[in-house]
Amino acid sequence: QVQVVESGGDLVQPGGSLRLSCAASGIIFRVSVMGWYRQAPRKQRELVASISSSGITNYADSVRGRFTISRDNAKNTAFLQMNSLKPEDTAIYFCNLAQIGGTYWGQGTQVTVSS
């Protein structure tokens, strides 16, 4: 069984920064992709950024240049550094782990950008 747990969500002012963390536990294969998704009220869940176990990254156009995804393979953790936050970044952020045998989601962490 694989568990994914996010943390780090908070209320922040526009222009501020936050760092989200994602910890995966259980049977984690060496080859996997970890990603951050977000879902705003009344909108579909969308990919924010992803990173493979070899370090290949992918970003949504809306966050490229502001957000940075990273991971620590030894600790099965992933991070999302979010800078220059905007009100439209407000959403529940979900961590996803994809590997052979399954895709696993966390419960989400709330990020609110507001003055």
Side-chain angles (χ1 to χ4, degrees):
Q1 188 73 359
V2 175
Q3 288 190 322
V4 177
V5 179
E6 307 95 336
S7 62
D10 205 346
L11 170 63
V12 63
Q13 292 188 342
S17 297
L18 274 180
R19 187 180 193 232
L20 304 183
S21 299
C22 171
S25 60
I27 300 176
I28 311 297
F29 296 122
R30 194 170 61 174
V31 178
S32 66
V33 177
M34 297 186 78
W36 287 97
Y37 291 72
R38 67 186 180 188
Q39 187 165 18
R42 299 174 298 280
K43 291 190 176 181
Q44 288 190 329
R45 190 173 298 189
E46 63 175 359
L47 174 67
V48 176
S50 65
I51 183 167
S52 70
S53 46
S54 62
I56 298 172
T57 59
N58 181 45
Y59 293 94
D61 289 341
S62 59
V63 307
R64 187 174 290 111
R66 299 188 297 122
F67 292 9
T68 302
I69 189 170
S70 60
R71 68 185 283 175
D72 182 335
N73 290 330
K75 296 181 179 180
N76 295 321
T77 56
F79 306 95
L80 186 68
Q81 178 66 43
M82 305 186 293
N83 299 328
S84 303
L85 282 161
K86 305 175 181 181
E88 51 264 42
D89 295 317
T90 296
I92 300 174
Y93 283 69
F94 297 89
C95 181
N96 173 274
L97 170 69
Q99 61 182 15
I100 292 175
T103 299
Y104 306 91
W105 293 92
Q107 293 294 322
T109 185
Q110 177 70 48
V111 172
T112 302
V113 184
S114 175
S115 55

